[in-house]
Amino acid sequence: MDSHKKNIVILISGSGSNMACIVQAARREQWHKRFDAQIACVISNRPNAEGLSLADKLGLANQVLDHQLFASRQAFDAELMQLIDRWQPALVVLAGFMRILTPDFVEHYAGRMLNIHPSLLPAFTGLHTHQRAIDAGCKVAGATVHQVVAELDHGPILAQAVVPVVAGDTAQSLAARVLSQEHLLYPKAIREWLERA
Ligand code: GRF
């Protein structure tokens, strides 16, 4: 690990497919040469997240910080901040990181933390986005990459991808269609962020 590079720390909670796509794009597109950037570490708040073994397979440093071992959201976020800051990150990437963040945490990474949300924001913040889009009769759905601010799923929008909602869609079928676009959208949005950085 090169200590002079712009470090990117990725936070996950689940399968880590977005994380893997970002890592693969970084390698394929040689972000280390083009932007002097590297994926430094993957951190999960869930010990059994599938994304951890994926990170292992990709040869990435990875760590667990189990939120269940902390008495409060503040205590967890303070410890997470310490773990992240060991890497002095230029960018923190939330990739399926299913935690509400404290204002202090968000403030600390202001302007250098991105999230992907599986809806066309500002529609459908929060959970169950695909079912809600179907129930509302939406003809399109999608995903949004945005800067993280204190209010959940708000913050300046950096990129969006749109997919059709088709007759007979279930939350699962729509989620799969959206996720396949997330896999293209998130690496692209990060690349564009690095180009501007
Ligand atoms: C994605 O749909 C993301 O938008 C949402 O959670 C899912 C994470 O998937 N926040 P993965 O862990 O990247 O596979």
Side-chain angles (χ1 to χ4, degrees):
M1 198 60 43
D2 185 335
S3 59
H4 300 297
K5 289 208 181 292
K6 287 179 197 146
N7 281 338
I8 300 173
V9 172
I10 304 182
L11 306 188
I12 64 167
S13 299
S15 56
S17 66
N18 277 293
M19 175 274 294
C21 287
I22 294 163
V23 171
Q24 283 154 0
R27 290 180 181 171
R28 193 173 57 241
E29 298 168 6
Q30 305 206 311
W31 290 2
H32 61 290
K33 283 193 190 153
R34 285 174 66 189
F35 309 119
D36 206 29
Q38 64 188 357
I39 314 297
C41 184
V42 173
I43 301 174
S44 171
N45 67 306
R46 296 208 178 118
N48 55 356
E50 290 166 48
L52 287 166
S53 44
L54 206 48
D56 267 340
K57 280 191 202 132
L58 289 163
L60 292 168
N62 59 87
Q63 286 178 297
V64 175
L65 189 67
D66 185 350
H67 66 275
Q68 291 184 312
L69 303 179
F70 291 81
S72 69
R73 197 175 287 284
Q74 282 72 16
F76 171 75
D77 277 11
E79 184 70 26
L80 180 59
M81 226 187 279
Q82 287 203 10
L83 214 54
I84 294 171
D85 282 350
R86 283 188 204 157
W87 301 97
Q88 300 187 306
L91 185 64
V92 176
V93 170
L94 310 182
F97 186 62
M98 303 302 282
R99 294 282 305 169
I100 291 171
L101 301 165
T102 56
D104 282 352
F105 185 94
V106 173
E107 177 59 31
H108 186 69
Y109 299 108
R112 54 181 175 131
M113 182 155 61
L114 308 183
N115 181 43
I116 192 161
H117 181 74
S119 80
L120 293 172
L121 291 174
F124 308 124
T125 60
L127 296 174
H128 310 301
T129 54
H130 306 298
Q131 191 59 54
R132 287 159 64 205
I134 291 169
D135 292 347
C138 294
K139 300 299 178 204
V140 293
T144 303
V145 176
H146 64 97
Q147 298 224 31
V148 177
V149 296
E151 197 175 350
L152 182 71
D153 300 329
H154 283 66
I157 290 173
L158 300 183
Q160 290 186 305
V162 180
V163 303
V165 180
V166 302
D169 253 339
T170 61
Q172 288 72 23
S173 64
L174 182 55
R177 194 173 310 123
V178 171
L179 189 62
S180 67
Q181 290 305 307
E182 291 182 41
H183 292 162
L184 305 173
L185 184 70
Y186 216 174
K188 174 172 170 280
I190 295 169
R191 183 174 64 243
E192 288 170 357
W193 190 94
L194 290 167
E195 278 165 355
R196 289 192 304 271

